[in-house]
Amino acid sequence: MFNTNITSVIDLITTFSTQEKCIKYLEQIRWDDAPISPFDETSKVYKCKNNRYRCKNTGKYFNVMTGTMFEGTKISLQKWFLAIWLITCHKKGISSIQLSRDLNITQKTAWFMLQRIRACFEIENNNELEGIVECDETFYGGLNKNRHKDKKVERCQGRSFKDKVPVLGMLQRGGKLTAIVVTNTQRKEIEPHIKTFIKKDSKVITDEWHAYSKLKTDYNHSIVNHAKKEYVNIEDNTIHSNTIEGAWKIFKNSSKGMYNHVSKKHLQYYVDEFVYRYNTRDLTEADKFNWLLLNSNVRTTYNRLIA
């Protein structure tokens, strides 16, 4: 039995000192030591040599890494485990440059590893929300005032996103956050996401933006009028969007402080990373690590990432 109460990088390296120990632990986490075929979950499984198994119904061979982010990798599982620990436990994550130095690999390989890990973070960004839910958008991108004169964008204040990418957030008070990169902030784009993730008849709190104007049909909709400098409703101080605005502040501070550049194409991966870290903030480092290993069955190819 492995020590699952890992509290530091030293514990991690000591516990998973060999590839064999990493494989056994992954089998314990994912299969509870009862191998399941990734090709047919109902099939009987035969154990073969070198940690391989054979699916009786399909005749195909597999191991615990088949169909996961680890499939086909030439990087040792010890390095993978260390990368997962660092990105899940560090409050701001880790850059590919820093990871390449820590693991003694190329920056290109480190970036690919991190993107594979980020693809698994989606497990925490698909929640059914209910009760009191705050909704708000944020816009990811550099401040116009900080740009060089020839790179400034005209009329980009407020909800203009000529130079930024909009992200819709829905945060259940006392619960979880869901955040989706959207193409624009119009009602036809915003409303379907709200109806997908927020349970009908919940209390939804937003600002006065017109994209939220029809929510009262399905929700108990309350508005905080930011245009009138109202940030907490005078009659009911529970009506505010301060919680999700606080989450956005953490997101921007952490991402801008860690990454030099995040492209629009890959922004959802970084949003998923933040949401995973936000939703698991009350878990121990070991539980964050184990939760991701348990849900590591997301296969992302390099060609897909750079397409």
Side-chain angles (χ1 to χ4, degrees):
M1 180 65 67
F2 289 94
N3 169 27
T4 56
N5 190 28
I6 302 169
T7 59
S8 67
V9 172
I10 296 297
D11 287 345
L12 186 84
I13 295 174
T14 302
T15 303
F16 305 115
S17 56
T18 65
Q19 180 80 354
E20 184 69 19
K21 288 182 178 179
C22 294
I23 289 174
K24 292 302 179 186
Y25 188 70
L26 202 53
E27 289 182 349
Q28 179 184 314
I29 289 288
R30 295 194 64 232
W31 293 338
D32 195 20
D33 295 325
I36 301 172
S37 170
F39 309 112
D40 185 349
E41 294 183 357
T42 65
S43 176
K44 185 176 181 179
V45 171
Y46 299 107
K47 184 173 177 59
C48 306
K49 295 180 180 180
N50 301 322
N51 298 307
R52 297 178 72 214
Y53 301 86
R54 186 171 70 86
C55 173
K56 180 182 178 181
N57 290 354
T58 64
K60 296 180 179 179
Y61 291 89
F62 65 93
N63 58 35
V64 72
M65 295 184 286
T66 303
T68 72
M69 63 171 142
F70 310 112
E71 182 178 352
T73 184
K74 295 180 181 179
I75 305 297
S76 70
L77 280 180
Q78 186 188 47
K79 290 187 176 183
W80 272 103
F81 281 15
L82 183 54
I84 292 171
W85 178 272
L86 293 174
I87 195 174
T88 56
C89 297
H90 284 191
K91 288 186 177 181
K92 295 184 178 181
I94 187 170
S95 68
S96 58
I97 291 290
Q98 185 61 53
L99 186 65
S100 69
R101 293 169 181 164
D102 291 344
L103 300 187
N104 192 26
I105 56 179
T106 65
Q107 186 270 336
K108 179 180 177 181
T109 299
W111 179 83
F112 182 39
M113 290 175 70
L114 289 174
Q115 291 298 82
R116 276 193 170 187
I117 295 170
R118 290 185 181 109
C120 297
F121 284 145
E122 189 181 5
I123 57 170
E124 277 295 332
N125 202 9
N126 189 24
N127 309 292
E128 183 182 54
L129 309 173
E130 58 184 346
I132 301 177
V133 184
E134 299 177 22
C135 296
D136 189 34
E137 324 98 71
T138 191
F139 299 85
Y140 188 85
L143 293 176
N144 201 41
K145 65 180 182 180
N146 294 337
R147 294 191 174 98
H148 191 274
K149 184 178 179 180
D150 62 358
K151 293 184 179 179
K152 289 186 183 295
V153 180
E154 294 183 358
R155 293 185 292 278
C156 65
Q157 291 78 18
R159 278 184 164 88
S160 171
F161 52 93
K162 298 176 183 177
D163 58 336
K164 297 181 179 66
V165 183
V167 183
L168 171 67
M170 296 157 278
L171 176 58
Q172 177 181 320
R173 286 194 192 161
K176 295 192 173 184
L177 167 69
T178 294
I180 308 296
V181 175
V182 291
T183 56
N184 59 66
T185 58
Q186 299 305 306
R187 186 170 68 87
K188 289 183 178 180
E189 174 72 13
I190 297 294
E191 194 173 283
H193 291 297
I194 291 176
K195 290 183 176 180
T196 296
F197 294 105
I198 303 179
K199 195 173 180 180
K200 193 174 181 180
D201 297 324
S202 297
K203 183 173 183 176
V204 176
I205 301 173
T206 72
D207 60 18
E208 72 284 358
W209 182 239
H210 68 79
Y212 304 116
S213 61
K214 303 295 183 181
L215 292 181
K216 60 183 178 181
T217 303
D218 297 306
Y219 302 100
N220 176 8
H221 182 208
S222 297
I223 295 174
V224 182
N225 198 327
H226 290 169
K228 295 182 178 180
K229 305 298 181 181
E230 179 187 63
Y231 299 100
V232 178
N233 187 282
I234 298 175
E235 298 178 357
D236 184 351
N237 60 13
T238 65
I239 299 176
H240 61 78
S241 58
N242 296 339
T243 317
I244 192 167
E245 286 172 8
W248 286 144
K249 184 176 181 180
I250 297 171
F251 167 61
K252 289 186 176 181
N253 287 345
S254 60
S255 57
K256 290 179 181 178
M258 180 57 62
Y259 310 114
N260 291 328
H261 174 71
V262 176
S263 69
K264 180 178 180 180
K265 173 185 173 183
H266 294 123
L267 180 58
Q268 186 65 58
Y269 285 117
Y270 292 84
V271 171
D272 290 342
E273 176 187 344
F274 167 71
V275 171
Y276 182 91
R277 193 174 291 112
Y278 187 90
N279 287 346
T280 61
R281 63 193 181 281
D282 294 328
L283 298 181
T284 65
E285 280 76 5
D287 286 340
K288 295 175 188 177
F289 173 76
N290 288 331
W291 180 234
L292 194 67
L293 286 184
L294 181 63
N295 293 278
S296 58
N297 56 329
V298 179
R299 181 87 170 97
T300 305
T301 64
Y302 184 77
N303 287 336
R304 177 187 171 190
L305 286 173
I306 66 173

